[in-house]
Short mmCIF file of all heavy atoms in Angstrom, two decimals:
data_model
loop_
_atom_site.label_atom_id
_atom_site.label_comp_id
_atom_site.label_asym_id
_atom_site.label_seq_id
_atom_site.Cartn_x
_atom_site.Cartn_y
_atom_site.Cartn_z
N THR O 667 19.73 -7.18 12.59
CA THR O 667 20.92 -7.92 12.84
C THR O 667 21.42 -7.50 14.26
O THR O 667 21.70 -6.27 14.44
CB THR O 667 22.03 -7.85 11.81
OG1 THR O 667 21.41 -8.23 10.46
CG2 THR O 667 23.21 -8.67 12.08
N GLY O 674 22.90 -10.31 24.89
CA GLY O 674 22.44 -10.50 26.27
C GLY O 674 21.08 -9.97 26.66
O GLY O 674 20.56 -10.14 27.75
N LYS O 695 1.43 -12.84 22.01
CA LYS O 695 0.66 -13.54 20.95
C LYS O 695 1.56 -13.80 19.71
O LYS O 695 1.46 -14.81 19.17
CB LYS O 695 -0.60 -12.78 20.63
CG LYS O 695 -1.39 -13.56 19.59
CD LYS O 695 -2.73 -12.78 19.32
CE LYS O 695 -3.74 -13.53 18.41
NZ LYS O 695 -4.93 -12.75 18.08
N PHE O 697 4.78 -14.11 19.80
CA PHE O 697 5.65 -15.28 20.20
C PHE O 697 5.04 -16.57 20.03
O PHE O 697 5.53 -17.54 19.42
CB PHE O 697 6.15 -15.10 21.55
CG PHE O 697 7.37 -14.14 21.69
CD1 PHE O 697 7.24 -12.92 22.31
CD2 PHE O 697 8.63 -14.54 21.21
CE1 PHE O 697 8.28 -12.03 22.42
CE2 PHE O 697 9.76 -13.68 21.22
CZ PHE O 697 9.49 -12.38 21.93
N ILE O 702 7.72 -14.17 15.62
CA ILE O 702 9.04 -13.58 15.99
C ILE O 702 10.04 -14.71 15.91
O ILE O 702 9.88 -15.74 16.49
CB ILE O 702 9.03 -13.02 17.43
CG1 ILE O 702 7.97 -11.84 17.43
CG2 ILE O 702 10.32 -12.47 17.70
CD1 ILE O 702 7.68 -11.19 18.75
N ILE O 704 14.17 -16.11 15.39
CA ILE O 704 15.75 -15.88 15.43
C ILE O 704 16.34 -16.71 14.45
O ILE O 704 16.16 -18.03 14.56
CB ILE O 704 16.24 -16.14 16.86
CG1 ILE O 704 15.57 -15.06 17.89
CG2 ILE O 704 17.75 -16.11 16.98
CD1 ILE O 704 16.21 -13.78 17.87
N GLY O 706 15.72 -17.59 11.53
CA GLY O 706 14.74 -18.33 10.76
C GLY O 706 13.94 -19.33 11.60
O GLY O 706 13.14 -20.12 11.07
N LEU O 723 10.75 -9.97 12.65
CA LEU O 723 9.58 -9.60 13.22
C LEU O 723 8.42 -9.58 12.27
O LEU O 723 8.49 -8.68 11.40
CB LEU O 723 9.63 -8.30 14.04
CG LEU O 723 10.87 -8.23 14.90
CD1 LEU O 723 11.02 -6.76 15.57
CD2 LEU O 723 10.74 -9.25 16.10
N ASN O 726 2.75 -6.06 12.17
CA ASN O 726 2.19 -5.02 11.37
C ASN O 726 3.20 -3.81 11.42
O ASN O 726 3.63 -3.35 12.39
CB ASN O 726 0.84 -4.63 11.89
CG ASN O 726 0.06 -3.71 10.95
OD1 ASN O 726 0.66 -2.84 10.36
ND2 ASN O 726 -1.17 -3.87 10.89
N ASP O 727 3.39 -3.21 10.25
CA ASP O 727 4.34 -2.08 10.05
C ASP O 727 3.94 -0.89 10.86
O ASP O 727 4.72 -0.02 11.16
CB ASP O 727 4.45 -1.70 8.55
CG ASP O 727 5.33 -2.76 7.78
OD1 ASP O 727 6.11 -3.55 8.43
OD2 ASP O 727 5.25 -2.78 6.54
N PHE O 730 6.00 -0.05 13.97
CA PHE O 730 7.44 0.40 13.80
C PHE O 730 7.42 1.92 13.53
O PHE O 730 6.82 2.27 12.66
CB PHE O 730 8.14 -0.37 12.71
CG PHE O 730 8.36 -1.83 12.95
CD1 PHE O 730 7.35 -2.72 12.44
CD2 PHE O 730 9.29 -2.25 13.79
CE1 PHE O 730 7.39 -4.11 12.64
CE2 PHE O 730 9.30 -3.69 14.01
CZ PHE O 730 8.39 -4.59 13.48
N GLU O 732 8.98 5.38 12.38
CA GLU O 732 9.80 5.91 11.40
C GLU O 732 11.00 6.58 12.13
O GLU O 732 10.79 7.34 13.06
CB GLU O 732 9.22 6.94 10.51
CG GLU O 732 8.20 6.34 9.49
CD GLU O 732 8.86 5.24 8.56
OE1 GLU O 732 9.95 5.51 8.06
OE2 GLU O 732 8.25 4.20 8.33
N PRO O 742 31.97 23.16 16.77
CA PRO O 742 33.30 22.70 17.14
C PRO O 742 33.32 21.89 18.45
O PRO O 742 32.54 22.21 19.39
CB PRO O 742 34.06 24.01 17.36
CG PRO O 742 33.33 25.09 16.73
CD PRO O 742 31.91 24.59 16.75
N VAL O 759 34.12 8.91 32.61
CA VAL O 759 33.88 9.72 33.81
C VAL O 759 34.04 11.14 33.40
O VAL O 759 35.16 11.52 33.02
CB VAL O 759 34.74 9.28 34.98
CG1 VAL O 759 34.42 10.20 36.12
CG2 VAL O 759 34.58 7.83 35.33
N HIS O 769 20.41 15.53 32.20
CA HIS O 769 19.47 15.20 31.10
C HIS O 769 18.76 16.49 30.60
O HIS O 769 18.48 17.40 31.41
CB HIS O 769 18.44 14.11 31.54
CG HIS O 769 19.07 12.82 31.83
ND1 HIS O 769 19.49 12.47 33.14
CD2 HIS O 769 19.43 11.78 31.02
CE1 HIS O 769 19.99 11.27 33.02
NE2 HIS O 769 20.03 10.86 31.82
N TYR O 785 30.13 14.04 21.75
CA TYR O 785 31.54 13.81 21.87
C TYR O 785 31.86 12.36 21.20
O TYR O 785 32.73 12.16 20.40
CB TYR O 785 32.01 13.73 23.27
CG TYR O 785 33.35 13.16 23.59
CD1 TYR O 785 34.55 13.83 23.20
CD2 TYR O 785 33.51 11.97 24.17
CE1 TYR O 785 35.83 13.27 23.47
CE2 TYR O 785 34.84 11.37 24.49
CZ TYR O 785 35.95 12.09 24.02
OH TYR O 785 37.08 11.56 24.27
N GLY O 790 33.89 9.04 16.62
CA GLY O 790 33.65 7.97 15.80
C GLY O 790 33.39 6.66 16.42
O GLY O 790 33.24 5.63 15.89
N GLU O 797 22.90 1.57 15.30
CA GLU O 797 22.34 0.89 16.59
C GLU O 797 20.88 0.57 16.34
O GLU O 797 20.13 1.29 15.74
CB GLU O 797 22.57 1.82 17.74
CG GLU O 797 23.97 1.99 18.16
CD GLU O 797 24.65 0.71 18.77
OE1 GLU O 797 23.99 -0.20 19.24
OE2 GLU O 797 25.77 0.64 18.59
N ALA O 803 24.48 6.38 27.54
CA ALA O 803 23.67 6.90 28.63
C ALA O 803 24.46 7.25 29.88
O ALA O 803 25.64 6.71 30.00
CB ALA O 803 22.55 5.90 28.94
N GLY O 814 30.29 17.91 39.99
CA GLY O 814 30.80 16.62 40.32
C GLY O 814 31.06 15.80 39.14
O GLY O 814 31.03 16.21 38.04
N CYS O 821 28.54 1.50 26.08
CA CYS O 821 27.92 0.25 25.52
C CYS O 821 27.02 -0.27 26.57
O CYS O 821 26.97 0.03 27.71
CB CYS O 821 29.05 -0.76 25.14
SG CYS O 821 30.00 -1.35 26.52
N TYR O 822 26.02 -1.17 25.99
CA TYR O 822 25.05 -1.74 26.82
C TYR O 822 25.54 -2.54 28.01
O TYR O 822 25.11 -2.37 29.11
CB TYR O 822 24.11 -2.65 25.97
CG TYR O 822 23.10 -3.37 26.82
CD1 TYR O 822 22.01 -2.73 27.36
CD2 TYR O 822 23.21 -4.79 27.00
CE1 TYR O 822 21.12 -3.36 28.12
CE2 TYR O 822 22.31 -5.46 27.75
CZ TYR O 822 21.25 -4.79 28.27
OH TYR O 822 20.37 -5.48 29.13
N TYR O 841 30.52 13.45 49.32
CA TYR O 841 30.05 14.78 48.94
C TYR O 841 30.65 15.75 49.87
O TYR O 841 30.83 15.53 51.08
CB TYR O 841 28.47 14.80 49.27
CG TYR O 841 27.70 13.83 48.31
CD1 TYR O 841 27.43 12.54 48.72
CD2 TYR O 841 27.26 14.25 46.98
CE1 TYR O 841 26.71 11.69 47.84
CE2 TYR O 841 26.57 13.48 46.20
CZ TYR O 841 26.25 12.15 46.70
OH TYR O 841 25.56 11.24 45.84
N LEU O 842 30.88 16.90 49.33
CA LEU O 842 31.54 17.91 50.11
C LEU O 842 30.71 19.19 49.86
O LEU O 842 30.29 19.55 48.79
CB LEU O 842 32.95 18.31 49.51
CG LEU O 842 33.71 19.41 50.18
CD1 LEU O 842 33.96 19.21 51.64
CD2 LEU O 842 34.95 19.74 49.45
#
Side-chain angles (χ1 to χ4, degrees):
T667 302
K695 184 177 182 179
F697 278 108
I702 299 174
I704 295 286
L723 306 177
N726 191 324
D727 286 342
F730 293 100
E732 291 298 320
V759 178
H769 294 94
Y785 167 76
E797 291 291 333
C821 60
Y822 172 72
Y841 297 93
L842 176 64

